[in-house]
Amino acid sequence: MKITELLARDGLSLSFEVFPPKTDTAFASVKAATEEIADLKPAFVSVTYGAGGGTSQYTLEIAKTIKQAHGVPTLAHLTCVSSTRETVRARIEDMKAAGIENVMALRGDIPAEGRSVFDYNYASELIYDIKSHDGYFCIGGACYPEGHVESASQAEDIRHLKEKVDAGCSFLTSQMFFDNNLFYNFLYKIREAGITVPVVPGIMPITNANQVERAVKLSGSFMPQRF
């Protein structure tokens, strides 16, 4: 089932995001934990990449298992900053062959050592390519309630977000945030800009303070002060 169909249903929708293992030795334990999550019957499960597009082989395997063995819709991530167009086409074909209907199309993090492939510069280009693939996929994109760290302003970021939606993005998932007012204000601004697709709020449970502190530094998210 496509994510847009799930979001159109009445009632609350809850999804989980899982991170594939970094090594072969950890795959079995991560796969087992992921299957426990699938047994909770969420609306869908999002399966990410590692930074720079690593662990992509595990992303497809885990997404396929969740869908086929547990009957839970999956959302497989696909990044493009380190990929050629041929690689992207091959991954799209693999996803389709596995029966995965939903793709989260992302630019991805710029590798610390710099880029060696320049086929894609923006997520909107990836979204356009996936959309051109006979319309099979429901495509999700990322949005940033406080503006992307590389954008000069939030207005500029929203203009680029509109480009993603116009390219074929059917729904958006937000960067994590800790202040609801920022999210609501963002929704008002993007609706004013003509972006009407559903927006899924990204929520990250705080289980490790150091991890959250690092994420906040990378994303520029506002962390409310303790009262």
Side-chain angles (χ1 to χ4, degrees), residues 152-199:
S153 66
Q154 187 180 52
E156 177 186 278
D157 190 42
I158 290 174
R159 286 195 295 272
H160 292 314
L161 185 61
K162 183 68 162 55
E163 292 172 1
K164 284 199 256 188
V165 173
D166 290 344
C169 188
S170 298
F171 72 96
L172 300 166
T173 298
S174 84
Q175 169 69 33
M176 67 176 184
F177 58 90
F178 301 97
D179 186 329
N180 287 346
N181 285 330
L182 292 172
F183 181 70
Y184 296 140
N185 288 338
F186 169 73
L187 289 179
Y188 174 80
K189 291 175 182 177
I190 65 172
R191 299 311 186 210
E192 286 289 298
I195 299 172
T196 60
V197 298
V199 180

Side-chain angles (χ1 to χ4, degrees), residues 51-52 82 109-115:
S82 298
D109 297 329
I110 303 295
E113 66 276 12
R115 298 180 60 181

Side-chain angles (χ1 to χ4, degrees), residues 61-98:
E61 180 64 26
I62 291 175
K64 182 169 66 174
T65 298
I66 292 171
K67 184 178 188 300
Q68 296 180 355
H70 298 270
V72 175
T74 53
L75 172 63
H77 286 217
L78 180 62
T79 61
C80 64
V81 71
S82 298
S83 299
T84 64
R85 292 187 183 275
E86 290 74 19
T87 299
V88 165
R89 279 196 291 270
R91 287 175 177 163
I92 289 172
E93 290 293 346
D94 289 342
M95 289 179 184
K96 188 174 181 179

